[in-house]
Structure formats: C-alpha cells, structure tokens
Amino acid sequence: MNYRTLITGQILRFSGDPFVTAWEDCVWIETGGLVIEGARIVYVGPDAAKQAHDRHVSYGDALICPGFVDAHVHYPQTGIIASWGKRLIDWLNTYTFPEEMRFGDPGYAKAIAETYLDLVLDNGTTSVASYCTIHPESVDAIFEAGARRNMHVVAGKTCMDRDTAPEGLRDTAQDAYDQSAALLSAWHGVGRAQYAITPRFSPTSTPEQLDALGALWKEHPECLMQTHLSEQVDEIAWVRGLYPAAQDYLDTYEAFGLLGTRGVYGHAIHLEPRERDQLREHGAGLVHCPTSNTFIGSGLFDLAGLGRTGQPMGLATDTGGGSSFSMLRTMAAAYEVAQLRGEAIHAAQLLRLATAGSARVLHAGDQIGSLETGHMADITVLDLASTSAIAQRSERAEDIWEAVFPTLMMGDDRAIRSVWVAGENLRGGT
Ligand code: GUN
Ligand code: ZN
C-alpha cells in the first residue's frame, strides 16, 4: 500500500447545485477529514481517523475545502493589475496591450508565469484557466510553470488578427490556426495541462480568424474554447458595427462554430433573451468576474437569475482587469454585486461557485472542485478566525454558515491556512 495521509478538520460537502436546490442539502461534517494517497483522495467523511493512514495532519477546527478554481484570468496582466482610471477599451489600449507585447520574450513570460502561480497558491487557488498572449512562448511558460507545481492549468494562445489590435500583437487567421493546433498537440493532456482554443473576443478577430478557430474546435471537440462576451455596453455597440449581419454578440461566435458545451464565456453581463436561451440550451459555461466588472465599470452580472435556470457558471478574478488574486475577495464582490441587484447569495452558493461551479464550466468536475473519493487531492484549508476582525464576528456564529460567511466577506490570503496540490503540501506546512 502507498503512503497515506489523514487530514482532519471541518468539512462541507455539496450534493446538488445550491443555486437550483436548497443549500440545506449541503452536509457539514464538524469533525471529519479525508485520507489522501499519492495525488488522490481515497476517503472523505466523518470516519476518516478510522481509516488506515501513515501520518496525521490536524487542522483543528479549520475548514477543509476543495482548492479554489479561478475560471478566467489573464496571467500576462499580473504586472498591470490595479491600473487606474480606464474603462474596457481604453484600459486594453493603455495598459494591457503594451504589457502583452513583452511576452514574445520567453524569459519575461517565464518570470511572470512563476510569479503569477505563486500568488494564486498564496491565495488558495489550485487551478486556473488563463488567457496567454499571441506569442506561443507565453503558452509554454504557463504550462511549464503549472507542471512544476503539478497544477491543473487550462490555457491557450490568445488570437487577434484585426487592426483593432495594435501592430506587434496581431497574428493572422492561418497563424492562429497553425499555432493553436501545434500548442494543442504539444500540451493538451500532458500531465494536468488542458488546452483552450482562445479567440480574445470578436472585436479583435476577423470573421476569417473566428472561422478558422471554429474549424479547429470542430477537429478537437475534447478541448475547451474560451472567449469574452457582452462585458461593456460600448463594447457591444462596437461589435454591432464590426459584425452588422450578426443577430447579437453571441451570434458572432455562434455563426463560426464557437458556441458549444465546452465553450467558456467570460463576463456575459448584458445578455439579450436570445443569448441567454442559446447559452443555456448549449449548456455553455459562463464565468462571473465581479471584481473586474466593478473595477473596469462593466456592470452587474445576473448571478441569481441565471443560477435559477441551471445555467453552468463559475467564478473568476479576471486578473488583471480584476483587482485581486484572491477568490475570497472575489466571493465577497459576487455577494455585493448580487445585493445591488436585490439578491442575497448564500455562503454555500459562493463557495460552490468558486470550486465545483468553476470546475464544471471547465469540464473537470470529475477531477477537481469537490472533495470526493477518486478526485485529485487539491485542497485549501481555511482558518475561519484569521484576523481579529473576523474572529470577533465568527465566534458569535450560531451555525456553520455564520462561522464561514465572515471569512468569505473579509478574508484574504491570511485566511489560507494550508494548500495541497495533487497530494503535495505547497503552502502553510503540515
Ligand atoms: N475583453 C477582451 N480582452 C479583455 C481583457 O483582457 N480583459 C477584460 N476584462 N476584458 C477583455
Ligand atoms: Zn478576460
């Protein structure tokens, strides 16, 4: 038998989708734990301590969670996070595109990829889905950095061939196809790497490029396809001008074969009824990026309304349009944005969105995002009293949700007691 580690603490398990079914379905195990063997979980439940094990790591009354899954980020924007004063299109031109031009240098790409993954691990995030830049080197850099940590990383070359993107940051329809195809065959399924075909968004691609990437996706239906959808009102007007024949923004993807179950659409704030229906019918994934949507001034995503329809949804920081690397800060922003729409999101829904929800939209729910036997041992342990401000509130808690909610609202990297990736302890010690 291989070496087995028993990890004990409090555990919350979700049987259904708390956006659709009652959050009371969640099971709270006050004193339980899990057993990991190699990279995987082999037992979860109240009787963990009775299972055979070689060593025991006790986290006391800390909460053992699945590692957070950040379903939409731009790792190349790490260095320009928190850049002041612009809305989407000006923000891209002023801050983002000049920074992304630097990623043709493999040394620079490697340095930022390493810094980025260290930052997310500090914040309890064990999986990310990242956009890269047009440079294939930028894709190699994040997959190599992910492999060094054995993380489940989804990434793809960001394709842009229209003159709306600056010179120096444009490919062609053919290059986008060829380079994406080469990167896909080099990386997809190697270790934990997952390739995502990545047209940045309709305004920076020609119809020829969207068509080429739609063809590539048809040849590789096993891959994800990630892009942006209906983030800002000005952007939607721009799309209408560039694609006059399209029914709406989603149709600019749909017409080129870029709508499907494995499609992952970031933001999706200002959706038309037809777009909502089509996204739901295809079972496509939407990714809520609340700190970005407030920071860049984009709008208020309809989390509760879409959730009630059963729409697959995940949560993301959208680094560096978002203002934090922390999924705890992101859950707080999701709560606040929903409040502005008159809806209160429950702690169970927030936690689920940041873990199993994101894993589902990345089609990796059988590996990550929940604590289940056979899943990868990607684990984040939360200290529910990490600061005096949080501790004085959580000590009044009358149930587990009241104990957890202050950490979701006020917690940051100080609440991350420990992080495990594929059975290895990478943060916080044992
Ligand atoms: N739309 C197209 N590109 C981007 C990006 O890099 N960040 C955000 N927030 N929206 C985008
Ligand atoms: Zn984005």
Side-chain angles (χ1 to χ4, degrees):
M1 193 175 74
N2 288 328
Y3 197 75
R4 285 175 161 235
T5 303
L6 165 68
I7 299 175
T8 52
Q10 301 195 73
I11 292 191
L12 285 167
R13 294 180 86 185
F14 305 96
S15 42
D17 176 352
F19 280 96
V20 180
T21 59
W23 46 262
E24 286 92 339
D25 288 353
C26 300
V27 177
W28 173 44
I29 305 167
E30 189 175 1
T31 50
L34 42 85
V35 178
I36 61 180
E37 185 177 322
R40 295 198 180 263
I41 298 170
V42 295
Y43 176 87
V44 189
D47 294 329
K50 295 185 190 150
Q51 311 300 311
H53 59 272
D54 304 293
R55 67 165 174 164
H56 179 191
V57 180
S58 171
Y59 290 116
D61 60 1
L63 182 68
I64 304 172
C65 300
F68 299 138
V69 182
D70 191 342
H72 178 124
V73 310
H74 300 253
Y75 94 82
Q77 297 169 14
T78 299
I80 56 117
I81 193 168
S83 288
W84 183 84
K86 305 285 181 196
R87 291 170 61 83
L88 178 61
I89 299 163
D90 289 341
W91 176 84
L92 286 170
N93 288 318
T94 309
Y95 299 119
T96 307
F97 291 156
E99 176 65 11
E100 291 193 8
M101 288 203 198
R102 303 177 68 181
F103 284 72
D105 170 359
Y108 188 69
K110 176 179 186 315
I112 299 292
E114 296 287 339
T115 301
Y116 171 72
L117 290 185
D118 281 343
L119 282 166
V120 304
L121 285 170
D122 291 344
N123 283 284
T125 297
T126 52
S127 289
V128 298
S130 186
Y131 290 62
C132 300
T133 66
I134 63 154
H135 313 97
E137 298 85 344
S138 70
V139 181
D140 295 334
I142 191 74
F143 279 138
E144 283 163 8
R148 272 190 278 282
R149 296 161 179 79
N150 208 0
M151 292 171 72
H152 180 108
V153 169
V154 177
K157 169 191 143 76
T158 297
C159 302
M160 298 197 277
D161 71 333
R162 244 192 218 255
D163 59 7
T164 45
E167 200 173 341
L169 214 51
R170 286 201 296 265
D171 50 17
T172 63
Q174 190 65 47
D175 285 348
Y177 177 93
D178 292 344
Q179 293 174 347
S180 300
L183 287 161
L184 190 162
S185 61
W187 284 110
H188 187 69
V190 174
R192 302 187 73 187
Q194 295 284 303
Y195 194 81
I197 296 165
T198 310
R200 179 177 218 119
F201 66 158
S202 302
T204 47
S205 287
T206 61
E208 293 71 36
Q209 181 169 78
L210 295 181
D211 194 44
L213 294 175
L216 182 62
W217 199 20
K218 198 166 182 193
E219 289 155 29
H220 293 280
E222 72 281 12
C223 284
L224 296 167
M225 189 289 303
Q226 57 182 354
T227 192
H228 296 85
L229 177 66
S230 294
E231 180 176 358
Q232 285 205 347
V233 172
D234 297 359
E235 173 208 10
I236 296 167
W238 191 26
V239 169
R240 200 172 297 124
L242 292 170
Y243 292 84
Q247 300 176 68
D248 46 42
Y249 196 154
L250 184 65
D251 194 32
T252 65
Y253 298 128
E254 206 175 334
F256 299 107
L258 294 169
L259 172 61
T261 307
R262 286 180 186 263
V264 186
Y265 303 84
H267 304 279
I269 301 169
H270 309 282
L271 297 177
E272 302 290 339
R274 191 200 80 88
E275 295 176 298
R276 289 170 74 115
D277 291 346
Q278 283 294 92
L279 288 161
R280 192 182 56 251
E281 272 164 33
H282 281 83
L286 302 188
V287 186
H288 183 21
C289 307
T291 69
S292 170
N293 296 344
T294 51
F295 185 78
I296 312 186
S298 302
L300 309 177
F301 179 75
D302 184 14
L303 179 60
L306 287 159
R308 278 190 289 270
T309 70
Q311 175 70 50
M313 294 183 303
L315 188 68
T317 58
D318 190 27
T319 296
S323 53
S324 175
F325 295 96
S326 165
M327 291 294 277
L328 291 172
R329 299 291 311 119
T330 307
M331 285 183 247
Y335 180 80
E336 290 162 0
V337 166
Q339 281 284 55
L340 289 170
R341 294 187 63 109
E343 303 267 6
I345 306 294
H346 193 269
Q349 295 170 319
L350 294 169
L351 268 178
R352 145 94 198 188
L353 199 64
T355 54
S358 286
R360 179 182 179 197
V361 304
L362 300 181
H363 288 257
D366 58 344
Q367 295 291 318
I368 57 174
S370 47
L371 300 176
E372 299 294 336
T373 301
H375 283 205
M376 294 297 283
D378 290 355
I379 297 158
T380 289
V381 183
L382 291 180
D383 176 353
L384 300 180
S386 59
T387 66
S388 49
I390 295 172
Q392 64 84 35
R393 179 64 187 89
S394 61
E395 76 185 10
R396 293 181 180 214
E398 293 188 354
D399 62 26
I400 180 64
W401 300 117
E402 248 197 295
V404 168
F405 194 60
T407 289
L408 302 190
M409 292 303 104
M410 300 197 287
D412 53 27
D413 54 334
R414 291 168 291 180
I416 308 302
R417 169 73 181 78
S418 181
V419 181
W420 297 66
V421 174
E424 294 287 328
N425 179 246
L426 298 190
R427 290 290 185 280
T430 52

